[in-house]
Amino acid sequence: MSATIKDVAKKAGVSIATVSHTINKTRYVSPELAELVNRAIEETGYKVKQSAKNNALVPGKNSVIAFVVPNVTSTVYTKLVSALSRILLESGYLLAVYVTNDNESTERSILSGLMTNKRIAGIILSPISAKSSDYDRLFRSGLPVVCLTRAIDSDRCACITSENKDGMYAAAKHLIRSGHEAICIIIDAGMQSAMKERLEGYRRALEEKNIPFNQKLIMKADINATERDFASAFHKMYDSVRPTAVIAAGNTLTLMLMRALSNLGIDCPRDLSVIGFGDEQWCSFITPPLTVLEQDTEKLAALAARELIREIEGEAPSLGRTDVPIQLSIRRSTMMIGRGPFGEQSHLPSEIVLSHEEKKRLRAGNFKVGISFHYSGNAWTHLHENAIRNTLENFGISVVSVSDAHFDPSLQMTQLEALAMQKPDLIIAIPVDDKVTSDKFRKLSKNTKLVFMSNVPQGLKESEYCTCVSVNESENGANIGNLMGEYFAGRKNVKVGFIMHGVAFYGTHLRDMSAKRELTERYDNIEVAATGKFTSFESAYDVCCDMLREHPDIEGLYVSWDRPALEVIRALKDMGRENISLFTTDLDLEIGKYLGSGQIVKAISSQRPYEQGVAVAMAAAKALVSDNCFKYVALGPYSVKRESLLRAWKEIMHEEAPLPIERALSGSDPLLI
């Protein structure tokens, strides 16, 4: 009888694992132990087998490992097949793949054949059933078995799976943090153990935030359904419960979902935020790039192969389950749902629709509108005003007055009194100060309708104004937080400072807090070392200087928006700290020049002022002829980096980038050098 690996181990006085690692060179073995093993191999006659191993293939019987999978259409299985083939070949085994198509009788037939096949050394199984009793015959056969991607409720074999519960929990939690509550989850109708676990993670995230579980938001899909049938089923669910976000709980389901959204004309993420399972390369290439849960197929394959080979070579198997973490990669297919000052859900500008009858009433009404800006000396307000005027004129509505308060609440109240004397039918306003101007706007509301931009004065009731239109400040802040996090990715122990608006201004406060939360919760390598507050543009200079004197190791700064950011840049230059990277919101010429030059400013999250102006005008037009108005309308922001500056300028400013921006990008602006 030929010698076995056990005989070698006994002769050398070492473990079977040590013999295996010496032969296969899969782990370090001391020269002393390696000499004992090699001598034992010679003395027991095991040398022939060693040579065969070194030639990478075990001859004769027991040279094949079977991989029994539900399908080979899912990318996760094609990746596992590739990884397992490579890993097993290095240890002298060939991989053979058997497909069950998730059919129990097919699986039983395949396993029966494998148990009688003398060439099969072991089986890596993605089981259809989670019941241990369904695999009694397999376990009694003594054939080494490891479960992969799916688990059996048993301690009779090793099970290598992904952390399905935690992965889905992270996906649902990300959406909930982004303001979503109506979150659909699409699961495989087969309800394998992995799908059950993913559903459990989804439910746990809802329960933590006291969001009611709604069975109607659970869509069970047949992965073998036609594209048309899946789209029809999804459309029925979407029209019924109107989810704001959806998670596809599998690779194939993700592809089916994206095709359905395209066929149905549902925009991602404007109409629907999407998280998929993204082991496919296309997930990062489509527009927008897909936020995905990614399984570590390399690690799954390596663990499964290691466990099976150990058992084949006579070592005791590591019974029970080993979970491999799933990574949530956040890209651009999800968006935050803005909340108004009363916690109301935001609506998109496209949802403001005027009927044919309402348009007729507007054109016949001779309506007058006044505009009260907090400040009008920048491109932001000029674009707002142009959009408001152009849109209102299309409906025959006249703008009787436009005032600029120069950030002075007393001046704004005086201007509002003068405006009220013109008896406008509606006033569009950005309050300079939420508290100081509150009583004045409350009095105005008794005689004229009000539409606010950006924020609502404190104390006003919902019944005292028509609509508030704003950038989605939660998303705006999260945008800049992510831009900071991405910029410092791969760096350790980065310290940053936050220079925020010190005035109680709802929209700006929400933006600042969202940026800080996003940065601290998502990026472990970054610490917010200091926070300072400015009350005027000019005071941002001193806030920056004081912060850097106390924390000279700060490498990055967040500043609430571009005007105070310019004061901070002036401070950085005076202190000789141009090495600090600055991130802010809103695109204008001066801040755009710094971004284009690559000096100090590294990224911007910008509002889209013209589009916001159109939305404000549409909200005003609707309010003039209807009491059925949305209380809060929010637009998504625009991320701007140096490489996208020319395109961003054109889309945000509705004009080609001016010469100073082009010079900054080319490095030929002497003012920035």
Side-chain angles (χ1 to χ4, degrees):
M1 184 174 179
S2 60
T4 67
I5 195 171
K6 291 182 181 179
D7 297 328
V8 175
K10 185 177 180 180
K11 184 74 174 177
V14 298
S15 69
I16 293 172
T18 300
V19 177
S20 175
H21 293 312
T22 302
I23 294 171
N24 298 304
K25 295 181 173 57
T26 52
R27 191 175 299 174
Y28 173 79
V29 179
S30 69
E32 295 81 7
L33 288 180
E35 184 178 349
L36 287 173
V37 170
N38 288 326
R39 188 183 304 127
I41 288 171
E42 291 282 349
E43 293 174 1
T44 58
Y46 196 74
K47 188 175 181 181
V48 174
K49 292 186 178 180
Q50 180 197 23
S51 298
K53 285 277 187 177
N54 289 338
N55 288 330
L57 188 62
V58 179
K61 66 178 182 178
N62 299 338
S63 62
V64 177
I65 288 176
F67 186 21
V68 183
V69 297
N71 64 74
V72 287
T73 58
S74 175
T75 302
V76 69
Y77 288 114
T78 59
K79 284 189 171 185
L80 286 171
V81 167
S82 177
L84 284 169
S85 296
R86 185 185 69 254
I87 295 167
L88 291 171
L89 187 60
E90 291 172 357
S91 296
Y93 295 94
L94 290 174
L95 185 72
V97 180
Y98 299 82
V99 182
T100 66
N101 291 315
D102 264 326
N103 183 283
E104 292 182 2
S105 62
T106 301
E107 183 186 64
R108 282 195 299 271
S109 177
I110 289 171
L111 293 176
S112 293
L114 294 175
M115 283 184 276
T116 59
N117 188 334
K118 299 300 183 181
R119 289 179 56 82
I120 300 300
I123 298 174
I124 297 175
L125 172 67
S126 293
I128 293 174
S129 171
K131 295 180 182 178
S132 176
S133 58
D134 290 342
Y135 301 94
D136 278 343
R137 186 174 168 225
L138 176 62
F139 292 133
R140 288 198 304 268
S141 74
L143 196 62
V145 177
V146 169
C147 288
L148 181 59
T149 71
R150 302 176 182 178
I152 293 174
D153 296 331
S154 171
D155 59 359
R156 299 164 75 178
C157 70
C159 295
I160 312 299
T161 58
S162 294
E163 286 185 346
N164 293 300
K165 291 181 186 178
D166 290 348
M168 189 56 67
Y169 168 79
K173 185 178 179 181
H174 170 69
L175 291 171
I176 292 168
R177 284 180 57 245
S178 298
H180 298 273
E181 294 186 2
I183 303 169
C184 168
I185 181 172
I186 306 175
I187 59 175
D188 188 337
M191 282 298 290
Q192 305 96 343
S193 59
M195 289 296 165
K196 291 179 181 179
E197 290 168 359
R198 290 169 191 174
L199 187 56
E200 287 178 31
Y202 164 84
R203 294 189 71 152
R204 177 158 65 96
L206 295 180
E207 289 168 1
E208 276 190 5
K209 295 299 181 181
N210 298 315
I211 299 173
F213 177 79
N214 184 353
Q215 188 65 45
K216 293 181 180 179
L217 287 167
I218 311 303
M219 178 179 168
K220 296 180 180 179
D222 179 1
I223 63 170
N224 296 311
T226 66
E227 186 175 309
R228 181 176 180 179
D229 286 345
F230 179 90
S232 176
F234 180 81
H235 197 196
K236 182 178 180 181
M237 179 280 301
Y238 183 78
D239 281 348
S240 173
V241 290
R242 283 289 172 180
T244 60
V246 60
I247 307 171
N251 290 281
T252 302
L253 293 172
T254 301
L255 180 59
M256 296 170 77
L257 171 64
M258 298 311 292
R259 284 174 173 167
L261 296 184
S262 178
N263 292 336
L264 296 170
I266 298 173
D267 184 84
C268 166
R270 188 189 66 190
D271 300 328
L272 190 69
S273 290
V274 175
I275 295 180
F277 259 73
D279 298 298
E280 292 89 349
Q281 289 185 341
W282 59 261
C283 291
S284 60
F285 298 150
I286 62 171
T287 303
L290 200 60
T291 295
V292 291
L293 288 163
E294 294 180 305
Q295 299 180 92
D296 191 341
T297 51
E298 280 291 325
K299 189 169 184 178
L300 287 166
L303 289 174
R306 186 189 70 184
E307 290 297 333
L308 192 64
I309 291 171
R310 287 179 64 220
E311 189 173 351
I312 290 170
E313 296 185 345
E315 293 187 52
S318 301
L319 302 178
R321 180 166 172 169
T322 301
D323 284 336
V324 176
I326 292 178
Q327 178 69 38
L328 177 64
S329 295
I330 299 174
R331 299 187 181 117
R332 300 296 179 193
S333 63
T334 64
M335 64 178 290
M336 300 188 79
I337 294 181
R339 296 286 175 180
F342 296 97
E344 64 270 34
Q345 184 172 320
S346 68
H347 293 269
L348 294 168
S350 58
E351 296 179 69
I352 306 174
V353 178
L354 292 165
S355 68
H356 179 69
E357 182 60 33
E358 287 171 335
K359 291 177 182 178
K360 285 178 61 178
R361 289 171 57 194
L362 285 171
R363 293 189 175 95
N366 295 316
F367 292 111
K368 297 185 296 182
V369 169
I371 304 173
S372 175
F373 280 119
H374 59 338
Y375 178 77
S376 64
N378 57 13
W380 189 89
T381 45
H382 292 324
L383 286 164
H384 257 82
E385 181 180 343
N386 290 341
I388 291 170
R389 284 183 178 276
N390 294 341
T391 306
L392 292 180
E393 285 175 3
N394 288 335
F395 299 116
I397 302 168
S398 60
V399 176
V400 295
S401 175
V402 178
S403 60
D404 174 1
H406 295 279
F407 287 102
D408 183 341
S410 298
L411 177 59
Q412 184 173 49
M413 288 189 289
T414 300
Q415 291 171 341
L416 287 170
E417 288 177 1
L419 179 57
M421 294 176 65
Q422 300 183 59
K423 298 187 183 301
D425 299 288
L426 184 143
I427 293 175
I428 296 169
I430 303 181
V432 173
D433 186 292
D434 286 355
K435 293 180 180 179
V436 177
T437 62
S438 180
D439 286 342
K440 176 60 64 178
F441 280 111
R442 179 174 286 107
K443 290 177 183 177
L444 285 171
S445 70
K446 299 182 186 303
N447 300 308
T448 187
K449 295 185 176 184
L450 299 175
V451 169
F452 291 110
M453 292 181 280
S454 299
N455 68 304
V456 176
Q458 288 186 11
L460 258 70
K461 300 175 182 177
E462 288 187 74
S463 59
E464 293 176 316
Y465 70 97
C466 301
T467 302
C468 177
V469 178
S470 173
V471 66
N472 185 334
E473 292 291 12
S474 293
E475 188 177 0
N476 200 16
N479 240 22
I480 202 68
N482 282 323
L483 288 167
M484 290 182 74
E486 290 170 4
Y487 181 81
F488 290 114
R491 305 255 309 267
K492 293 182 178 179
N493 304 319
V494 177
K495 292 186 178 181
V496 300
F498 267 57
I499 299 178
M500 306 188 299
H501 197 202
V503 179
F505 204 74
Y506 172 78
T508 314
H509 176 75
L510 187 61
R511 178 199 314 162
D512 292 343
M513 293 302 101
S514 180
K516 196 171 185 179
R517 183 182 65 246
E518 193 74 12
L519 191 66
T520 55
E521 290 186 4
R522 283 198 57 202
Y523 301 95
D524 295 337
N525 63 316
I526 300 176
E527 174 194 349
V528 178
T531 299
K533 295 185 178 181
F534 61 89
T535 53
S536 66
F537 297 153
E538 294 77 11
S539 65
Y541 180 99
D542 291 330
V543 171
C544 176
C545 293
D546 292 343
M547 181 181 291
L548 293 182
R549 290 189 190 103
E550 187 174 351
H551 301 276
D553 53 351
I554 280 177
E555 299 178 57
L557 288 173
Y558 162 90
V559 187
S560 292
W561 73 92
D562 62 312
R563 284 294 302 279
L566 292 172
E567 292 298 318
V568 170
I569 291 171
R570 188 166 66 88
L572 293 176
K573 286 186 169 184
D574 289 348
M575 297 180 76
R577 293 300 307 272
E578 288 101 326
N579 61 321
I580 286 180
S581 301
L582 187 144
F583 304 81
T584 189
T585 63
D586 295 346
L587 181 62
D588 210 337
L589 180 60
E590 291 305 311
I591 207 75
K593 285 162 64 177
Y594 281 104
L595 177 62
S597 71
Q599 297 182 44
I600 303 177
V601 179
K602 303 303 180 185
I604 294 170
S605 180
S606 181
Q607 300 185 45
R608 293 178 292 155
Y610 193 89
E611 285 72 18
Q612 286 173 228
V614 172
V616 167
M618 289 297 296
K622 186 73 173 180
L624 287 169
V625 292
S626 174
D627 293 326
N628 187 24
C629 300
F630 298 127
K631 284 297 174 183
Y632 190 66
V633 176
L635 292 82
Y638 196 120
S639 296
V640 189
K641 298 181 181 179
R642 186 173 188 268
E643 57 267 27
S644 63
L645 180 55
L646 289 179
R647 183 181 72 251
W649 187 280
K650 185 174 182 179
E651 293 184 9
I652 293 168
M653 301 298 188
H654 290 258
E655 64 180 17
E656 296 292 341
L659 186 59
I661 295 291
E662 294 182 359
R663 286 177 174 172
L665 283 164
S666 66
S668 60
D669 188 339
L671 296 178
L672 293 172
I673 297 173

